[in-house]
Amino acid sequence: AQTVTQSQPEMSVQEAETVTLSCTYDTSESDYYLFWYKQPPSRQMILVIRQEAYKQQNATENRFSVNFQKAAKSFSLKISDSQLGDAAMYFCAPRGGASGSARQLTFGSGTQLTVLP
Amino acid sequence: KAGVTQTPRYLIKTRGQQVTLSCSPISGHRSVSWYQQTPGQGLQFLFEYFSETQRNKGNFPGRFSGRQFSNSRSEMNVSTLELGDSALYLCASSLGQPTLTEAFFGQGTRLTVV
């Protein structure tokens, strides 16, 4: 079984500033992946970034990067140079590997990010 | 490449009726998963289909069922609708094999049960 905790229900950031969203998880899978998705008001779930658990290097995707601490089971998302279009609900989601039983995404409760002009 | 297509986008049904939702995955994707999103319970996994076989199932009553066709399109059915079934139903597609890849979501079907 997998569990996810996003302890920040709401966060706000000034445009052009940097913000970090927290996520801790628990999983019994030895092979797994971690994802951040964003859901803007349109409700479309959009993939932001992914991290393979076996990789030590933190994933980066343009202004988005993660801080993956495997031993601590922590997977935070950093958004640099925040833009108005980044305003959305952000979900952290682990997913078990192909060899495991927990192949589905397990979503946290989400963090609502507001970007202030 | 076309994205994941869910139809219909909006649906209003009466308690006790049944409903069928459709999902067309990205071309070449063989895995389709369904999720229910409600304000109270958040995002919950319903089931996953891969090559026409249900590969994984969440903790939902038997009123929730699904299937996948040979072209990877998937449908989910909810029978004997209850007010609590009102939700956004999201479909996600992924390659499915050989290694697990990211899932791409459709825009969802908003179901309202009255």
Side-chain angles (χ1 to χ4, degrees):
Chain A
Q2 296 173 139
T3 59
V4 184
T5 301
Q6 293 182 250
S7 58
Q8 307 151 313
E10 298 177 349
M11 291 205 57
S12 62
V13 62
Q14 210 68 39
E15 199 176 0
E17 296 295 309
T18 296
V19 63
T20 298
L21 309 184
S22 302
C23 171
T24 58
Y25 64 93
D26 196 12
T27 180
S28 57
E29 304 285 314
S30 57
D31 171 30
Y32 60 94
Y33 300 77
L34 295 155
F35 301 92
W36 278 97
Y37 283 88
K38 64 182 272 190
Q39 189 178 40
S42 68
R43 310 310 299 272
Q44 172 89 51
M45 195 72 78
I46 300 166
L47 176 67
V48 174
I49 197 166
R50 81 175 237 171
Q51 172 80 43
E52 291 90 339
Y54 64 85
K55 288 187 177 179
Q56 292 186 338
Q57 186 173 4
N58 289 323
T60 298
E61 193 72 39
N62 299 317
R63 298 182 294 106
F64 299 88
S65 61
V66 300
N67 182 3
F68 175 46
Q69 303 288 329
K70 189 173 183 178
K73 294 184 176 176
S74 170
F75 182 58
S76 61
L77 174 70
K78 185 171 84 170
I79 306 174
S80 304
D81 186 25
S82 297
Q83 301 176 359
L84 295 177
D86 295 334
M89 180 74 88
Y90 285 79
F91 294 96
C92 171
R95 185 179 191 184
S99 61
S101 62
R103 281 185 289 261
Q104 73 272 19
L105 290 161
T106 300
F107 288 92
S109 54
T111 296
Q112 181 67 52
L113 178 67
T114 301
V115 181
L116 304 168
Chain B
K1 197 180 249 191
V4 180
T5 303
Q6 289 188 247
T7 56
R9 291 289 310 281
Y10 302 92
L11 208 48
I12 299 175
K13 288 287 188 178
T14 304
R15 201 168 35 174
Q17 287 186 314
Q18 75 165 18
V19 67
T20 299
L21 312 182
S22 178
C23 172
S24 294
I26 293 170
S27 178
H29 284 195
R30 295 165 63 191
S31 170
V32 173
S33 298
W34 289 88
Y35 295 83
Q36 181 197 64
Q37 185 175 27
T38 60
Q41 299 298 317
L43 280 149
Q44 293 185 287
F45 170 72
L46 281 155
F47 28 66
E48 181 202 3
Y49 286 87
F50 177 79
S51 291
E52 302 180 64
T53 301
Q54 187 180 87
R55 191 158 72 168
N56 206 356
K57 190 178 191 306
N59 189 25
F60 277 81
R63 300 185 298 107
F64 291 81
S65 63
R67 59 177 175 169
Q68 187 179 34
F69 302 95
S70 58
N71 61 357
S72 294
R73 189 178 71 85
S74 176
E75 289 180 347
M76 69 163 280
N77 184 276
V78 187
S79 62
T80 318
L81 283 165
E82 300 177 359
L83 296 179
D85 297 332
S86 295
L88 179 68
Y89 289 88
L90 292 166
C91 162
S93 83
S94 60
L95 285 169
Q97 290 283 10
T99 58
L100 211 59
T101 59
E102 54 265 37
F104 296 91
F105 285 81
Q107 291 185 292
T109 294
R110 168 74 68 186
L111 172 65
T112 302
V113 182
V114 297

